[in-house]
């Protein structure tokens, strides 16, 4: 086992002393017929990749909302089930829709959930971006294959789409959102969505078909409270 990889795993796990990873003892894992060498490699790679996805402001975010933690637990259970049955990593399951006014901590909870999953050891490659960045990267222009960009998000085993409904609406924007949500919906691929559009206006803002799918696909969590940025509680 590579010392650097073990060090990477230890440093990430130390930040979450209250969380129990799926594999805690590599020797016991081997004794039970597992391949510790590859498990260490894979675990360290997932932790590093997830860390690189997280913007500086949310580097230390943790999911603290009980409903978000319950969703993380569901994803872990489904990932374990998929692994045992020899299926794809990650496994199908519910998604998460974080709603609430500006500054209530939706993005914080979203990245916190991604960090928790990586530390627990759900071996699933993630992608994350504000939806406006996904549109921007997909904008048809010379040298860019919009479909490849779309697939890099749509096909990610775990996806975090931040700020749904925040971009200026157009037919093209609505089409991309519909295709993305539909792709995840058809395959029950775990996705975290956030939006600060009030629940009753979601359909009007992002399209009734998208809102309808989201409602069926997601555990919905509404964060309440004041804007943490204005309250001076934000760093
Ligand atoms: N549980 C928390 N503990 C500490 N800081 C937090 C927590 N939740 C949010 N924050 C901080 O509060 C600020 C606002 O949080 P965040 O960006 O997650 O809000 P948001 O709901 O996504 O806002 P918006 O709707 O504008 O995107 C950020 O600086 C974030 O780091
Ligand atoms: Mg946000």
């Amino acid at each position: 086992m590579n010392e650097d990889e073990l060090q990477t795993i230890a440093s990430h796990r130390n930040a979450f002393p209250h969380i129990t990873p799926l594999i805690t003892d590599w020797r016991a894992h081997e004794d039970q017929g597992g391949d510790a060498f590859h498990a260490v490699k894979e675990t360290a790679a997932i932790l590093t990749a997830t860390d690189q996805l997280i913007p500086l402001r949310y580097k230390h975010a943790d999911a603290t909302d009980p409903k978000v933690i319950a969703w993380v637990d569901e994803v872990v259970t489904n990932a374990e089930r998929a692994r045992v049955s020899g299926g794809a990593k990650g496994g199908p399951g519910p998604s998460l829709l974080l709603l609430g006014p500006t500054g209530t901590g939706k993005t914080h909870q979203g990245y916190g959930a991604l960090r928790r999953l990586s530390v627990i050891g759900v071996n699933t490659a993630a992608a994350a971006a504000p939806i406006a960045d996904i549109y921007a990267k997909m904008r048809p222009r010379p040298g860019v294959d919009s479909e490849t960009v779309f697939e890099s998000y749509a096909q990610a085993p775990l996806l975090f789409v931040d700020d749904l409904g925040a971009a200026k609406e157009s037919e093209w924007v609505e089409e991309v959102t519909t295709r993305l949500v539909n792709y995840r919906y058809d395959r029950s691929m775990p996705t975290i969505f956030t939006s600060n559009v009030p629940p009753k206006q979601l359909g009007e803002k992002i399209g009734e078909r998208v809102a309808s799918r989201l409602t069926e696909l997601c555990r919905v969590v509404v964060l309440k409270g004041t804007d943490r940025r204005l309250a001076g509680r934000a760093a």
Side-chain angles (χ1 to χ4, degrees), residues 30-53:
E30 197 113 277
D31 290 346
Q32 288 156 15
D35 178 346
F37 177 81
H38 284 103
V40 164
K41 214 171 223 1
E42 203 171 42
T43 305
I46 291 289
L47 286 166
T48 305
T50 305
D51 193 45
Q52 284 167 357
L53 272 183

Side-chain angles (χ1 to χ4, degrees), residues 57-58 62 64 100-109 162-163 196 227-229 233-235:
R57 177 165 298 280
Y58 303 101
D62 188 13
T64 47
T102 297
T104 46
K106 301 176 294 294
T107 306
H108 181 102
Q109 296 294 322
D162 205 11
D163 284 334
N196 60 9
D227 186 341
R228 285 173 174 267
R229 298 186 189 105
R233 269 176 282 162

Side-chain angles (χ1 to χ4, degrees), residues 45-167:
I46 291 289
L47 286 166
T48 305
T50 305
D51 193 45
Q52 284 167 357
L53 272 183
I54 314 236
L56 187 62
R57 177 165 298 280
Y58 303 101
K59 277 278 182 233
H60 303 289
D62 188 13
T64 47
D65 185 280
K67 285 188 183 159
V68 177
I69 294 174
W71 176 79
V72 167
D73 289 344
E74 272 189 273
V75 175
V76 174
T77 305
N78 290 333
E80 265 301 88
R81 204 171 288 143
R83 190 179 64 79
V84 170
S85 67
K89 289 168 186 172
S95 291
L96 181 68
L97 174 59
L98 287 156
L99 298 174
T102 297
T104 46
K106 301 176 294 294
T107 306
H108 181 102
Q109 296 294 322
Y111 279 119
L114 280 191
R115 291 187 72 223
R116 271 189 184 238
L117 285 169
S118 70
V119 170
I120 290 169
V122 174
N123 286 331
T124 199
I131 189 92
D133 287 9
I134 300 179
Y135 301 140
K137 284 189 183 158
M138 277 186 66
R139 285 254 175 237
R141 58 192 189 280
V144 169
D145 180 3
S146 303
E147 208 48 32
T148 305
V149 178
F150 176 79
E151 285 170 3
S152 70
Y153 291 102
Q155 295 177 356
L158 182 64
L159 175 65
F160 178 21
V161 180
D162 205 11
D163 284 334
L164 215 50

